[in-house]
Amino acid sequence: LREVLARPEVPARSAQKLRQLVPFALEESLAADVESLHFAVGRPAADRRVPVAAVDRARVAEWLAALRG
């Protein structure tokens, strides 16, 4: 897994609840363990779908290392 973009339907509205629920809303559709992923969660739309980017934590570490130079 490198990067995944999705729009799962999540019943929560608060940012804290969204961060808790999003990994489990996507768990079955991801080819990696949710514990190994970083999730960026956007604002929910009126239909309760939430824009999400899931990225392997190792990949994020590579990006940060490249930016640090």
Side-chain angles (χ1 to χ4, degrees):
L1 173 79
R2 294 198 49 110
E3 299 93 23
V4 172
L5 300 177
R7 291 188 69 238
E9 186 175 335
V10 182
R13 287 284 181 203
S14 76
Q16 180 181 3
K17 281 289 188 188
L18 285 171
R19 285 191 302 273
Q20 291 173 346
L21 295 176
V22 161
F24 302 103
L26 294 174
E27 188 172 31
E28 290 185 20
S29 64
L30 297 172
D33 181 17
V34 295
E35 301 299 323
S36 70
L37 301 173
H38 172 76
F39 292 88
V41 180
R43 291 189 178 141
D47 64 359
R48 292 201 245 181
R49 295 204 175 272
V50 181
V52 178
V55 183
D56 186 80
R57 288 184 188 274
R59 183 80 169 137
V60 173
E62 290 172 11
W63 291 340
L64 292 172
L67 290 171
R68 289 181 182 131

